[in-house]
C-alpha cells in the first residue's frame, strides 16, 4: 500500500519537531547542575557523494570533527541561502574553533545540482561549507538514512521546486546525532549549541 504525500509530510514534520525538542532538551541538560544528557545515538550512516570539484567525498572525513549537515538545493529561493548564511556567520563567530567544524550542504535535487551548480551556489557563502551532490540513487539513500523529508513539487506554469526538511543536523566527533538548529534561531543560540558539542569532545 502506498503512503500519501500528506502522510509522508506529516511524518517528516513530526520527526523534525521531535529532533528539535530532543536537541533543546540535550542543550538544557548541559547545565552543570544537571548531570543528565540526551542519550547518544548510534553513529550516522556512512555515505560517499560528489563535491563541487567533482571529487568523491567520503563521510569518514567527518570523523573527529563536529558536523553541521543540511539538506537543500541550489534553486531554493529562501530557506537554503538563509541557512547557509547562518552557517557562515557561525563559522566566523567560532574563530579558531571553526577548524574542528565541518559544515555540509547535501543536495536533494541531484537532477539540477551538478558539481558546477554547487560550486556557483557555494561561492556565495563561506568556502569551508562542503557542497555535495550525487546520483539520484545516492541522494535517495542518504535522504532515507538521515531521516530527511524531500519531495519534488510542481510549479504552476511548469518546472518544479523541492520541499524538504529545513533544519540543520548537528553531529559530534563520533558522528552521533546531538541536536538541530535552523535559521529562525538566534545566532547566539546556534553558536552555543555548536560550542557545547565541541566542548564535549568524542
Amino acid at each position: 500500500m502506498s503512503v500519501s504525500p500528506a502522510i509522508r509530510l506529516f511524518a517528516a514534520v513530526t520527526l523534525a519537531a521531535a529532533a528539535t525538542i530532543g536537541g533543546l532538551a540535550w542543550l538544557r541538560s548541559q547545565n552543570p547542575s544537571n548531570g543528565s544528557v540526551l542519550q547518544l545515538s548510534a553513529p550516522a550512516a556512512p555515505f560517499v557523494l560528489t563535491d563541487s570539484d567533482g571529487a568523491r567525498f567520503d563521510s569518514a572525513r567527518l570523523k573527529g570533527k563536529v558536523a553541521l549537515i543540511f539538506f537543500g538545493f541550489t534553486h531554493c529561493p529562501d530557506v537554503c541561502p538563509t541557512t547557509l548564511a547562518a552557517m557562515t556567520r557561525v563559522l566566523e563567530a567560532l574563530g579558531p574553533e571553526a577548524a574542528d567544524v565541518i559544515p555540509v550542504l547535501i543536495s536533494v535535487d541531484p537532477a539540477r545540482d551538478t558539481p558546477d551548480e554547487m560550486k556557483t551556489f557555494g561561492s556565495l557563502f563561506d568556502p569551508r561549507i562542503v557542497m555535495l551532490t550525487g546520483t539520484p540513487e545516492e541522494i535517495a539513500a542518504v535522504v532515507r538514512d538521515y531521516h530527511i523529508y524531500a519531495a519534488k513539487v510542481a510549479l504552476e506554469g511548469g518546472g518544479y521546486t523541492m520541499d524538504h526538511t529545513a533544519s540543520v543536523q548537528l553531529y559530534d566527533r563520533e558522528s552521533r546525532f546531538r541536536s538541530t538548529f535552523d535559521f529562525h534561531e538566534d545566532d547566539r543560540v546556534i553558536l552555543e549549541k555548536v560550542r557545547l558539542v565541541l566542548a564535549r569532545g568524542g
Side-chain angles (χ1 to χ4, degrees):
M1 180 177 69
S2 62
V3 179
S4 72
I7 292 175
R8 286 199 302 269
L9 176 58
F10 176 78
V13 170
T14 301
L15 176 64
T20 301
I21 292 168
L24 290 173
W26 172 82
L27 182 64
R28 294 189 186 105
S29 75
Q30 305 311 297
N31 188 305
S33 64
N34 184 342
S36 63
V37 296
L38 181 67
Q39 184 175 355
L40 292 174
S41 64
F47 61 78
V48 179
L49 295 172
T50 302
D51 68 19
S52 58
D53 290 322
R56 297 296 273 169
F57 182 96
D58 192 321
S59 62
R61 290 166 61 180
L62 301 177
K63 191 74 177 292
K65 303 289 185 180
V66 168
L68 315 179
I69 301 181
F70 176 65
F71 288 77
F73 64 113
T74 65
H75 288 71
C76 180
D78 41 36
V79 172
C80 302
T82 305
T83 299
L84 265 63
M87 280 186 172
T88 294
R89 293 193 300 273
V90 167
L91 289 171
E92 291 171 351
L94 283 170
E97 293 177 279
D100 287 324
V101 175
I102 300 182
V104 179
L105 169 68
I106 297 177
S107 173
V108 295
D109 186 16
R112 294 185 294 193
D113 284 346
T114 63
D116 284 345
E117 285 286 337
M118 298 295 278
K119 184 183 285 289
T120 298
F121 186 62
S123 69
L124 302 173
F125 309 100
D126 193 292
R128 290 169 288 189
I129 300 175
V130 179
M131 310 290 290
L132 299 177
T133 188
T135 66
E137 295 76 18
E138 289 169 341
I139 295 299
V142 74
V143 162
R144 178 198 67 225
D145 291 343
Y146 282 71
H147 308 291
I148 294 299
Y149 171 77
K152 186 181 289 189
V153 179
L155 294 174
E156 212 175 308
Y160 69 91
T161 188
M162 298 297 298
D163 191 15
H164 62 94
T165 302
S167 58
V168 178
Q169 298 182 348
L170 179 54
Y171 291 84
D172 67 17
R173 298 175 194 270
E174 297 299 324
S175 299
R176 297 170 300 200
F177 171 78
R178 299 309 298 263
S179 188
T180 65
F181 67 80
D182 68 37
F183 67 91
H184 293 104
E185 297 179 62
D186 188 279
D187 284 358
R188 291 172 297 178
V189 174
I190 297 173
L191 187 61
E192 184 179 2
K193 289 181 179 182
V194 175
R195 280 186 166 144
L196 283 169
V197 177
L198 280 167
R200 292 197 64 81

